[in-house]
Amino acid sequence: MAFTRTRTGCYTCREDGYKCDEQKPFCGRCIRLGKDCKGYGLKLKWQTPIVRPHHAGKSSRATRKQSVSSPTALARRQRQVQLQQQAVSVVPRAMSSGIAPVPAYLLDHWLVTLAPMITMAPTVLNPFHAHITPMIAHSSTLRSAICFMAANHLSVLKNDNSLSNIATELQTNAIASLWRTIDTEDPQVSLAVVIVLEMTDRLFATTSGVNHLQGAKEIIRRAGPGVWDSGAGPFLLNVCSYYDAMASVSSRKAPVLRLGDEILIQESMKPVENLKVLWAIIGRISSMSDQGESLRDDQGAAIELILRVLDTSNVEGDSARTVHAYKEAAYIYLHRLWHNIGSSHPLALKHARDCLNHIFAVPVTSSLVLGHSWPLWTAACETIDPTLRDRVRERVKAMYEFRRLPALQRLEQDIEEVWKMKDKERAATGVDGIDCVRAILTIRQRGPDLI
């Protein structure tokens, strides 16, 4: 049944004369019918401006209105039109897929470039494509979140601020839509949205002001344990476990989720199954920051025993090197928080050297390298060898050049800052009592970017 035109619906429904459910970013009717949803008010900026010829008989008022157009606004409009034309040329299926050209362009970047780049799985099967990509067709919230990540990456690749503005709009849409649908959405889809938002904040140093891990904790709790044993569940929990560990290091606080090492390992991560144990250990070490001396001693001794008996004989190649790098870094992290032992101590220097050599042996193109920022940061901060420091610089630069993730640039800057501080203290006192994470928290008002 046709309705009179609405003033608030999407432009496609308004033109067709049908009532719109106003779902964002794409309305339900357009998605259901496979139509190109032209969006709402903000979508107008992606449309080609209409240039009307000047007629002498027209009022001079219209002429004056045209003359006050801002050159900046005109340039922005031209750039957005150019982006739309580029999207249509790169993704010709956009006009027939039910998705507007720019979102289709961003989704294409996810499919071809981003999803293969952000996985740590050392297997041919990409878990992001296996578990998250199929959800996109059923969730406009997830679609906005993924487009948010893609727009951020493309803005870096193309040095294009207009894409950053689009990313901000997509971020706002995704977060607002998540909280509107969190009670009715499939919890696995909701958790996937939260994971994409958390990853984007970390990879691209964006600031949403939202604690995504707290949101993930609530989604996991409310859904109950049975939901996460099948489908995308194990993969989603594995990703949560990793970022929970990284966040605990960056903040020097106990993990938010505390999933432990009993969660099911996803099939694609079986070659590095020990990483799941090491992520849990990292979280336990972080928890020692706020413990009393007696409890910290008991916890430290227990963790040291786990590390000593951890069996790594079932891994080989780059997977083995990654696991060994994590193990060496875990020793460094433990001894720093437990006894405040770091650089200049022979044991710390040995762990740092061994950790870095394992990392350097893995090709920078390996998917495992995405998870190397924490062991690299931990070992690099404690090394005083000029040759190793130069190799760290080369490694981080190579990691950035291959992936173009802004967090890697900030990581390099943070490592250099820590080296200056440590060198200055050793020169003045002969010892190194600087906790590298706390130093960055003090200087930058944020933790190190561990992606």
Side-chain angles (χ1 to χ4, degrees), residues 17 82 138 179 223 279 298 320-321 341 381 407 417 432:
Q82 183 182 34
H138 309 290
W179 297 119
W279 296 336
D298 291 343
R321 296 181 186 99
I341 292 175
C381 286
E417 189 67 38
D432 169 19

Side-chain angles (χ1 to χ4, degrees), residues 299-413:
Q299 184 82 299
I303 293 171
E304 191 170 45
L305 178 60
I306 294 171
L307 287 172
R308 193 179 302 130
V309 302
L310 182 64
D311 182 16
T312 58
S313 61
N314 60 334
V315 289
E316 56 186 19
D318 292 340
S319 297
R321 296 181 186 99
T322 297
V323 170
H324 286 304
Y326 265 84
K327 187 175 179 179
E328 298 291 345
Y331 273 119
I332 297 170
Y333 189 34
L334 174 63
H335 291 148
R336 174 57 80 179
L337 262 70
W338 189 8
H339 301 301
N340 199 24
I341 292 175
S343 55
S344 297
H345 192 286
L347 186 61
L349 293 176
K350 179 184 183 304
H351 286 310
R353 182 178 63 253
D354 291 347
C355 176
L356 291 173
N357 284 332
H358 284 305
I359 289 172
F360 297 152
V362 180
V364 76
T365 55
S366 169
S367 59
L368 290 163
V369 172
L370 187 75
H372 283 186
S373 63
W374 176 73
L376 179 62
W377 155 264
T378 304
C381 286
E382 301 297 355
T383 188
I384 59 176
D385 183 331
T387 301
L388 281 177
R389 285 186 175 185
D390 284 342
R391 294 189 68 188
V392 167
R393 293 183 180 101
E394 293 170 3
R395 183 68 175 189
V396 180
K397 282 183 171 63
M399 289 167 66
Y400 175 76
E401 286 303 318
F402 185 73
R403 290 172 173 79
R404 293 301 180 96
L405 301 174
L408 292 171
Q409 287 184 313
R410 296 213 309 190
L411 183 68
E412 181 184 13
Q413 295 165 4

Side-chain angles (χ1 to χ4, degrees), residues 415-429:
I415 291 172
E416 293 283 358
E417 189 67 38
V418 168
W419 283 340
K420 289 179 185 176
M421 295 176 63
K422 285 176 172 283
D423 291 348
K424 184 177 180 179
E425 176 160 305
R426 275 195 307 274
T429 66

Side-chain angles (χ1 to χ4, degrees), residues 181-207:
T181 62
I182 201 164
D183 291 325
T184 56
E185 185 69 273
D186 179 340
Q188 289 195 2
V189 175
S190 294
L191 188 58
V193 173
V194 170
I195 286 171
V196 172
L197 293 172
E198 171 70 12
M199 291 184 71
T200 306
D201 276 359
R202 287 195 162 269
L203 297 174
F204 300 97
T206 58
T207 52

Side-chain angles (χ1 to χ4, degrees), residues 54 140 148 176 373:
H54 173 69
S140 61
F148 164 51
S373 63

